[in-house]
Amino acid sequence: MDGMAPFERWFDICELSDIPVRGSRRLEKDGMKIAIFRTSDDRVFAVENRCAHKGGPLSEGIVHDCAVTCPLHNWVYDLSTGKAQGGDEGQIRTFPAEVRDGGRVHLRLATAS
Amino acid sequence: MTKKLVVVGNGMAPGRVLETLFESSPDQFDVTIFNAEPRVNYNRIMLSPVLSGESTYEDIIIHDEAWYEANNVTLHAGEKVVSIDRENKTVRSEGGVIEGYDNLLIATGSTPFIIPVPGHDLHGVLAYRDLDDVNKMLNAAAKGGRAVVIGGGLLGLEAAAGLKLRGMDVTVIHLMPTLMERQLDPAAGYLLEKELSGRGIDIRTGANTKEIYGDGKVEGVRLEDGTEIDASIVVMAVGIRPSAQLAKDAGLDVNRGILVDCQMRTSDPDIYSVGECVEFEGNCYGLVAPLYEQARICARALTNDAEAAFAHAETSTKLKVTGVDLFSAGDFADGEGRDEIVFRDPAQGIYKRLVLQDNRLIGAVLYGETADGAWFFDKIKKGEEIDADERATLIFGQNFAGGSPLDPMAAVAALPDEAEICGCNGISKGQILNAIDKNELTDLQGVRQCTKASSSCGTCTGLVESLLALKLGDAFDASAKKTVCDCTEFGHDEVRRLIIAKELKSIPAVMQELGWKTSCGCAKCRPALNFYLLASWPGEYVDDNQSRFINERVHANIQKDGTYSVVPRAWGGVTTAAELRAVADVVDKYDIPMVKYTGGQRIDMLGVKKEDLPGVWADLNAAGMVSGHAYGKSLRTVKTCVGSEWCRVGTQDSTGLGIKLEKLMWGSWTPHKVKLAVSGCPRNCAEATCKDIGVVCVDSGYQIHIAGAAGMEVRATDHLTTVTTEEEAIEMCAAVLQAYREQGFYLERIYKWAARIGGAEKVHELIVDDEENRKALFERFKYAQQFSQDDPWAERASGKVDAHEFKTLELVE
C-alpha cells in the first residue's frame, strides 16, 4: 500500500504521444467525463470535462500555458487547480496525472463504480 | 489684414512652417501651395519602412486632404512652378496657373545626384527620393532579379535592406573603404557590413562604377576593375543637391543652395526659403531635425518675430533598418588633441566609441546598443566638462553613471528636463512633461498631436511612453493602445507588419522576436497569429491546428451540448436529388436529431456526435459533397438567385457567377467569416447588399458591392464599382477578398476593415483605380488558394488526419 485512499488507484492510460502537444484526449470512467491535457512543456493534467459555467466540453478548448479556454463562452481554467481565472468564479474537479518512465500517462481515479 | 503666402514645394519643412504658422497666428495668411508631386504632404524619412513593407503610404501621410481644407489652404498638386516674377510678385506654374503673393516661401528641396557614368539614363536606373521612386522599386522587386545600389550611405543602405526584404538579390557598390563613412568610423562600418552581408546583401566597398550597360534598359553594372554585376534595376543613392534653379532664375543669391540669413530670408526680403534647397553659413542640410528648426524659425520670422534666429547645430543619425541599432553624433574623426574611449563586445556585436577633446565629449558612435545615444548627444550639445571620475565610467552610459539599476523608467526619470527625447522634432523631456500637464494628455497619440514628439521616425516612442508613465503613474495605461491581447505590447497592425518585415514564419518565432509575455500565448493571440502567418506565407507556413478554435480544428460547429453541426457545401445554393438522398441516408444512419436550412441556402445537420463526424463526412463525400466551412473564419456561402437562366426579369446568370465565385474562393482562410451573394437583377432576391461582398447583376454588367453587414450591426453595402464582364467581376471580388486577407485584423469583418482603412473610397482607390495592384492581389489570391483547396472532411474521413480528435481513450481496468 502506498498511502493512497483505498478506493483510488493509478491507471495506465496511454502514451504521451497519443495526446497532441497543446491538445487533449477524452476519457469516460463510470459515467464521469474526463479531459486529459498535454501542455507545450509536456506536462499532463486531467480535469472533469465539464465547464462550471454551462457544461461546455473543456477538452475541445484551446490550451495555453497551464490553462484551457472553454470553447463555449471563453472561461479560462488553471489546469493544475481547476479554478476559473480572471473575473469568473468556478471550480472543476481535477485528477492527479503523471507521465511515468517510458512516457506512459497515468491517472489516479476511483476504482469502484 | 490677411497676407497672401505662396509656398513652392510641399515637403516636410514647408509643412512644418504652415503648422507653426496656423497655430501661432491663425488667419494671418491666406496660403496657396504648389507641389510638383501630385500628393499631400508625407513623411519622407519614413519611405524606407514603406519600401521594406513595414509601413504603408497611408501610415506616413502628415497632412491629409482634410487638413488643407480645414486650414483653407489651396493646394495645386502636380503643378510645378517654373518662374517667379519678383517685380509683380507672382509665380507661374508649368500648367499656366499664376498666383500673386505678399510673401513667397521657396521649399524646392533637393534632387538626387546621378553619377554621369555611361548608361545612367537607361530605363531601370532609379533615384531614391520620393514615393514614385519607391513605387518603381516595388514594381521591380515584384519581378525579382538583382538590384544594384550605388552608394553605401544612409539612404543607399536603407534602400538595399528594403529591396532585400522585398525578395530581390541586392548588391551595394560603395566607393569608400567602409560603409556610411560620414556617420560611422571604420569599426562600426565593419560591423554594419558584417550584419548586412549576413542578411544576404552583397557588399562591395572600394568599388568604382565604370558604366551601366544594357540595351535600352539596365542589364548590369561594370566596375572600374572590369567586374560585371547583372542587374534588373540600379538605384543611385550617392547624395543630394539643393534644388536652387528656380531661385537662381529669379535672380536670388544662390551658391550651392539658396542663400538665407538667420531668419530664413533670401536676398529678396519678401521671399523666404527652408529645407534642403537652403544654404546657411556654408552648410546645406539633409536631416530632418535642422530642417524642422528652420521651419519653426521661418514661421516666427513671417510673423515679424525679430528674435527668431536659426543657428547651425550638431545632428545625430540613426539608420532605419529593422534590427540594426546604430547611432552617431558629433565629430568622431581622429585628430590632434583628441582621445577616445572604446568598448567592444564581439559576441554581442556591440561597439561603442566616444571622442573627447579638452575634457569634453565631441562625438559618439554606437553600434549594437544605442539606448544611451540621447544621453551622449545631450552631453555633446551642452559641451560640459567631464571630470576624471565621470570619464572612467562614461562609456557604460547613463545607468552606470547614475548607479541606478537597468530600469528604463529610472533612466528616463534621471534625464534632465532639457534632454532631447525626439531628435527629429527637437522636443525635450521638459516640453513633453509640460504638454502632458497643460493639455491633460493621457496617451501617446495626444503627445504626438501636441508636441510632434515620436510622430516622425518613431524611434523615441518607448521613451515618450515612459514619460507618460512617469507623469501619470498608474493612470497611464500603455495598453490603451489596442494590443492583440495581454500577451503582447503590439497591436494587430504592428504584428502583421513585423511578421513580414522580419520574415517570421512560425508562432514561436513571432513570440520570441516580438517579446511575447507568455510562454505560448492565449486563446486570443494564437488563432490570430496562426491566421496572419498562413496569410503571409502561403505554401510555406504549416498550419498549427492546436492554435485553432475547436470548430476550425474539427471542421464542424460545436453546439451547446458538445455535439456538432455539419453543413456541406451547396455550390451557389444549388443541390441535386442524389445529394438530398445522401443527406437523408446520413441523417437516418447516424440518428441525427435535426435537419434545417441555413440562412445561406444550405442544409445543416445538427446534433452529430463527435465520434460520428468522420463517418458522416465519408458518406457525404461519397455523394460528392465537401465541407461548407460553416464553422470557419473563411469563405462561407455564396448565396444566389436563379438569374437569367430561369427568371423572367433576370439580367445575367447570377447562379452561374455565384458558383464560379464559390469554386474560386472556397477553402480560403480570412480574418473573419466572409459571406457573398449574387443577385440577378436589382430586385436583389439574394440580398446581396447586406453581404461582405455582393454582386448585383444589371443589364449592362455587374455592380460590385462591399462592406455590408446583417448581424449585430446592420449595414447596407457600399457600391464599389460596376464592371461589364463576368471575368472582371470575379477579379474585382477576389482582389477585395485578398486585400482584406492581407490587411484585416483577426476577427474584423470586411465592413470594419474597410472603415478602418478609409472607407469604400479607399478600397476603390486601391482596387478599382489601381489596376496593377488589383491584378497583383488577384494573382496572390490564386497563388494562396493552391494550398487551401483540399477538402478537410475527406482528409479526416480517411482516418489519416487528426484521428485522435474523434476517438475517446479506452480505460483498461
Side-chain angles (χ1 to χ4, degrees), chain A residues 9 11 13-14 18 20-23 25-27 29 36 40 57 60-65 69 71-72, chain B residues 518-523 526 544 546 548-550 553 558 560 564 610-611 804-805 807-809 811 813:
Chain A
R9 75 167 174 88
F11 288 84
I13 305 294
C14 61
D18 290 334
V21 178
R22 286 182 277 108
R25 293 299 297 268
R26 293 167 296 150
L27 180 73
K29 172 83 170 81
I36 311 171
S40 59
E60 315 298 277
I62 288 181
V63 181
H64 43 98
D65 290 345
T69 297
L72 293 194
Chain B
T518 49
S519 72
C520 68
C522 70
R526 286 241 313 274
D544 177 26
Q546 296 307 133
R548 288 189 176 276
F549 184 62
I550 182 66
R553 204 181 327 139
I558 194 164
K560 61 182 275 192
Y564 288 82
K610 194 178 183 190
E611 32 300 7
H804 63 85
E805 280 286 359
K807 274 190 218 126
T808 52
L809 290 168
L811 194 63
E813 298 276 352

Side-chain angles (χ1 to χ4, degrees), chain B residues 408-409 412 421 432-433 436 442-445 447-448 453-454 458-473 475-483 489-491 494:
Chain B
M409 280 293 283
V412 172
I421 301 291
I432 294 175
L433 293 179
I436 294 173
T442 55
D443 60 9
L444 184 64
Q445 210 50 41
V447 175
R448 281 180 177 161
S454 132
T459 44
C460 63
T461 302
L463 286 174
V464 174
E465 283 179 337
S466 299
L467 283 175
L468 278 160
L470 193 67
K471 192 82 192 164
L472 304 174
F476 174 64
D477 182 7
S479 64
K481 143 175 122 173
K482 234 175 146 5
T483 59
E489 300 290 347
F490 290 106
E494 293 160 309

Side-chain angles (χ1 to χ4, degrees), chain B residues 381-394:
Chain B
K381 283 197 294 188
K382 282 197 197 139
E384 60 194 24
E385 192 153 337
I386 288 162
D387 65 27
D389 280 353
E390 195 184 348
R391 188 190 158 122
T393 58
L394 189 64

Side-chain angles (χ1 to χ4, degrees), chain B residues 97-118:
Chain B
V97 180
I98 296 178
E99 288 274 358
Y101 64 84
D102 296 311
N103 283 124
L104 180 66
L105 174 61
I106 303 180
T108 39
S110 62
T111 38
F113 182 65
I114 300 288
I115 321 174
V117 291

Side-chain angles (χ1 to χ4, degrees), chain B residues 496 734-744 753 766-767 777:
Chain B
R496 290 214 76 165
V736 170
L737 189 67
Q738 179 65 12
Y740 168 58
R741 294 182 74 237
E742 291 177 5
Q743 300 174 6
W753 159 73
L766 288 175
I767 290 170
L777 282 165

Side-chain angles (χ1 to χ4, degrees), chain A:
Chain A
M1 290 266 107
D2 54 3
M4 291 171 193
F7 49 90
E8 282 185 11
R9 75 167 174 88
W10 288 95
F11 288 84
D12 180 343
I13 305 294
C14 61
E15 287 288 335
L16 180 63
S17 59
D18 290 334
I19 314 174
V21 178
R22 286 182 277 108
S24 70
R25 293 299 297 268
R26 293 167 296 150
L27 180 73
E28 214 169 314
K29 172 83 170 81
D30 305 324
M32 167 77 83
K33 290 193 162 80
I34 298 167
I36 311 171
F37 297 91
R38 174 177 173 189
T39 60
S40 59
D41 55 358
D42 280 347
R43 288 181 297 160
V44 292
F45 297 94
V47 302
E48 182 180 358
N49 195 12
R50 199 185 142 72
C51 179
H53 175 219
K54 299 253 177 168
L58 297 170
S59 57
E60 315 298 277
I62 288 181
V63 181
H64 43 98
D65 290 345
C66 179
V68 65
T69 297
C70 176
L72 293 194
H73 308 96
N74 297 323
W75 279 41
V76 179
Y77 289 93
D78 182 326
L79 292 172
S80 62
T81 63
K83 267 204 174 59
Q85 305 288 290
D88 299 321
E89 279 182 33
Q91 172 76 50
I92 48 170
R93 253 184 96 174
T94 61
F95 304 94
E98 288 181 8
V99 185
R100 298 207 172 154
D101 300 340
R104 296 292 301 179
V105 175
H106 286 67
L107 290 193
R108 201 169 82 166
L109 302 168
T111 48
S113 51

